[in-house]
């Protein structure tokens, strides 16, 4: 059976162009993981970015709302992959997902993937347990 992967990545930024680029990077990484590695991937950034414009603004910008949507999916996943885009280590959402994975004994891997020119050799590193603070 194929593993179900939750692909976390930073998203929020005051600059809308940064959010757009992060969405594009997460979508490319998800496609790479699906097509080259045969994984089943849920990318909350990809999903949420295109759903948010159809929500009431109060919900669309609510961190709590998005965690209520995302954590039940993460609970069903086999592993958490964290896409190490710039700002990943300062992202409140990634920290929340990371802490959830730790509490629920989900393996955590980090993925280094930058740029539009992708290859099947994305850098996967099994992250040794550490405090994400």
């Amino acid at each position: 059976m194929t593993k179900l992967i939750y692909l976390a990545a930073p998203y929020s930024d005051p600059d809308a162009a940064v959010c757009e680029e992060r969405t594009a990077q997460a979508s490319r990484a998800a496609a790479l993981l699906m097509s080259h590695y045969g994984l089943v991937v849920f990318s909350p950034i990809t999903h949420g970015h295109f759903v948010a414009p159809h929500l009431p603004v109060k919900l669309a910008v609510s961190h709590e709302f998005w965690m209520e949507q995302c954590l039940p999916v993460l609970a069903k996943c086999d592993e958490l992959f964290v896409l190490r885009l710039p700002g990943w280590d300062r992202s409140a959402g990634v920290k929340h997902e990371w802490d959830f994975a730790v509490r629920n004994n989900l393996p955590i891997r980090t993925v280094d993937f930058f740029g539009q020119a992708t290859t099947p050799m994305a850098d996967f590193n099994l992250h040794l347990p550490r405090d994400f603070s």
Side-chain angles (χ1 to χ4, degrees):
M1 182 172 185
T2 304
K3 287 186 177 183
L4 178 57
I5 304 301
Y6 183 104
L7 181 62
Y11 177 74
S12 298
D13 193 272
D15 184 347
V18 172
C19 297
E20 289 288 335
E21 181 58 24
R22 287 174 172 174
T23 301
Q25 293 286 7
S27 298
R28 286 185 200 106
L32 179 72
L33 293 169
M34 292 172 188
S35 64
H36 290 288
Y37 293 94
L39 298 170
V40 176
V41 179
F42 174 71
S43 170
I45 298 302
T46 304
H47 171 77
H49 182 78
F50 293 102
V51 170
H54 304 283
L55 292 169
V57 173
K58 182 178 178 179
L59 293 179
V61 299
S62 169
H63 177 76
E64 293 77 23
F65 172 79
W66 287 111
M67 288 297 101
E68 289 171 1
Q69 297 298 309
C70 293
L71 294 182
V73 176
L74 179 54
K76 301 290 184 187
C77 290
D78 298 300
E79 292 189 42
L80 169 64
F81 280 26
V82 176
L83 186 57
R84 296 189 335 164
L85 297 175
W88 77 272
D89 55 343
R90 296 181 307 277
S91 167
V94 171
K95 180 173 180 7
H96 204 93
E97 292 156 331
W98 184 288
D99 290 347
F100 181 91
V102 169
R103 284 192 309 274
N104 290 279
N105 298 312
L106 288 174
I108 300 170
R109 295 181 187 262
T110 59
V111 180
D112 294 321
F113 168 79
F114 302 98
Q116 294 183 12
T118 63
T119 70
M121 300 307 293
D123 177 23
F124 292 93
N125 299 307
L126 179 60
H127 185 81
L128 300 175
R130 72 170 175 90
D131 183 24
F132 185 101
S133 47

